[in-house]
Amino acid sequence: MCGIFGYIGKRDNALDLVIEGLKKLEYRGYDSWGVAADMNGKLFIEKQVGKISEADLSIFMGKKVQMAMGHTRWATHGGVTQVNAHPHFSWDKKIVVVHNGIIENYEEIKEFVGKEKFISQTDTEVIAHLIAFYRQTMPFKEAVLAAIHKLKGRYAIVVMNVGEPYLIAARRGSPLILGVGKGEYFLASDIPAFLEYTQNVMYLDDNELAVVGQDVEFTNIETGKPIEKRLVNIDWKAESADKGEFEHFMLKEIMEQKDSILRAINQDDDEILEIAEAIKKSRGCFFSGCGTAGKVCMTGEYFFSMIANRHVNFASASEFPIYHHFLRPESLLVVVSQSGETADVLEAMDAAKKKGAKVLSIVNVAGSTIARTSDYSLKINAGPEKAVASTKAATSQLAVLMLIAYAIRGELQEGRRVLAETASAVNDMLNPRFLTYVKDVAESIKSHENAYIIGKAENYPMALEAAIKIQEVSYMHAEGFAAGELKHGPIALISKGTPCISIIANDEVKQDIVSNTMELKARGALIIGIGPERFKVFDQWIKVPDVGVASPLVNLVPIQLLAYYLGVLRGHNPDMPRNLAKSVTVK
Ligand code: M6R
């Protein structure tokens, strides 16, 4: 969470570049922002509460500098105020820091450097004062090293020392990437922020520090020794990170599912077969992820049972510690993550590695920490996902899990055929008439404060996912239930006109869920059915194609659209829901 951007190089509009970079990183946090530059040996700093994309930036007009840095914040320590926004600076206004992560021992460091020096309530400010403390007696790089040796917790930082012609970057536990252009460098929390300037990157790994000036030098923080870094070429296109003709990223990304599912199943056969073998051989296979990725894992549990006749254990990554004692060297942990940076997932991976177990990751962001630190990693190739609500990543993750399930059953090509047909069905479904129909459904329920969603078997996790989507984008209270559980309690919530969405695939449990839907209707619920077949019990019906066992993929698409339109019709920006951030790098 939080976005960092730094620039140093031949261009003299570094502040503009940083501002544009921060706008691209806003999905990581958007409650306040700030930038800093060295203006002829004096600190220039501007911080504001609110979104940078909505700020009046005329103050920066005509300012010429070749080195600058900035930050867009998702508050952890200290409220959303101008003074708590980053960058933070030392008492002498010489050391300036932007930070993503959490410094756990900040109280202790505050005592050490002197509480009277502090003006904010953040944990980050201690980094600036601590570096300044050591800088009194040491060169800049040594002062940064001395300071970070004292820090406990997670950080990605960029540091400027006013009067010195270079930036220092360091990381432990939070992402930071160096973009390498011709005669210029970019430091950012995520690649799309600088993709229009360069596709060449160097990844900072944990416990690495980079001095970035006319050239770049890497140092291992623990040993103090220099490190050789590899230049990696990223084959994403800059345009794919723009909204294009769409009003919001969320709608654009929903529409991209016309192609992204196909890209997800375009995996190397040998690699999929190797992974299928590793799963078959494992004794104790665990699926884990958070939020939407967690719901994908839970669906994977059903896919593996139905397609591969194989039991796997699902747990949300935040709840995974309860399983740590089951991990053994023969276990396999399968983690799913769009960003590849989710802190709870990284913790689950650490636990598995400590027990000698292997980790398979299914990720979207190439080169992310999760991708780079797992034993096997599959890319879903969905392209940049910018809206906070995960959409195209989810259907691609579902497709990859289903493909692996088919490979375990010994029918990889059949799995690919089923999924290719599903991708084509999604393509047909996403037509203007379908969008208008879903928008009308949203219009008919937008003034309600509660909505309930039911599903069964492989579509039960989709009911839970529908609730997440509606909650985060429209702020409507939404809850998902296993259809058969209604009569054990939740049905008491239903009164006349309560919107209830019933996901009914053409599978062997459909009659059960039709009966459960009737029970809702008998209590006055307004029933919105999603499925290939129209049942009398539906008041409104969102028709989806019949794709057999792949039904969660086609059911999820109208759910995403419904959430999107509910958000827009209720007056919210679906790309940046309140209180959330795209990448959750804190526990
Ligand atoms: O990047 P990840 O897939 O690991 O993120 C996991 C969750 O934070 C994410 O899916 C979140 O729930 C989304 N905002 C849901 O739309």
Side-chain angles (χ1 to χ4, degrees), residues 460-522:
Y460 163 46
M462 292 299 100
L464 301 180
E465 169 57 7
I468 297 187
K469 281 287 95 64
I470 296 173
Q471 291 156 1
E472 69 182 331
V473 180
S474 75
Y475 314 156
M476 188 187 247
H477 168 237
E479 275 186 78
F481 298 108
E485 288 296 306
L486 281 177
K487 52 190 174 295
H488 300 287
I491 203 159
L493 294 165
I494 308 304
S495 58
K496 193 166 164 28
T498 307
C500 290
I501 301 167
S502 180
I503 308 171
I504 310 187
N506 185 19
D507 55 20
E508 62 209 35
V509 297
K510 79 175 171 194
Q511 281 316 326
D512 288 347
I513 184 166
V514 168
S515 304
N516 300 139
T517 309
M518 283 173 160
E519 289 154 15
L520 288 171
K521 177 99 168 183

Side-chain angles (χ1 to χ4, degrees), residues 342-360:
T342 301
D344 287 315
V345 176
L346 283 163
E347 188 186 67
M349 290 171 67
D350 280 348
K353 286 186 219 161
K354 278 194 188 121
K355 297 282 183 82
K358 292 266 186 288
V359 179
L360 159 68

Side-chain angles (χ1 to χ4, degrees), residues 290-293 336-340 342 388-390 468-469 472 582 584:
C290 291
T292 294
V336 177
S337 172
Q338 187 287 131
S339 63
T342 301
V388 165
S390 189
I468 297 187
K469 281 287 95 64
E472 69 182 331
K582 179 75 177 159
V584 185

Side-chain angles (χ1 to χ4, degrees), residues 293-432:
K295 304 302 168 278
V296 166
C297 289
M298 196 173 169
T299 317
E301 194 181 11
Y302 284 92
F303 281 160
F304 269 52
S305 164
M306 295 158 74
I307 301 168
N309 193 25
R310 173 104 206 167
H311 172 69
V312 295
N313 306 278
F314 159 72
S316 296
S318 58
E319 290 294 315
F320 194 68
I322 197 74
Y323 289 90
H324 286 182
H325 69 283
F326 289 129
L327 291 164
R328 292 176 288 174
E330 317 83 71
S331 312
L332 179 72
L333 173 65
V334 179
V335 295
V336 177
S337 172
Q338 187 287 131
S339 63
E341 301 293 348
T342 301
D344 287 315
V345 176
L346 283 163
E347 188 186 67
M349 290 171 67
D350 280 348
K353 286 186 219 161
K354 278 194 188 121
K355 297 282 183 82
K358 292 266 186 288
V359 179
L360 159 68
S361 64
I362 298 173
V363 290
N364 190 32
V365 178
S368 55
T369 311
I370 291 175
R372 283 180 296 123
T373 56
S374 27
D375 299 286
Y376 316 88
S377 186
L378 287 176
K379 276 198 286 169
I380 59 167
N381 299 317
E385 191 182 71
K386 304 277 283 184
V388 165
S390 189
T391 54
K392 61 176 178 172
T395 43
S396 296
Q397 292 159 349
L398 286 169
V400 170
L401 282 178
M402 199 169 140
L403 196 65
I404 299 172
Y406 269 99
I408 293 177
R409 175 161 137 171
E411 295 182 9
L412 174 57
Q413 297 319 330
E414 171 61 7
R416 190 165 269 135
R417 189 196 59 75
V418 171
L419 284 159
E421 271 182 27
T422 305
S424 152
V426 168
N427 184 24
D428 294 346
M429 188 170 52
L430 281 171
N431 62 61

Side-chain angles (χ1 to χ4, degrees), residues 262-274:
L262 265 190
R263 284 203 302 275
I265 57 171
N266 186 15
Q267 303 281 344
D268 181 72
D269 280 4
D270 291 341
E271 219 175 330
I272 294 285
L273 292 170
E274 189 191 342

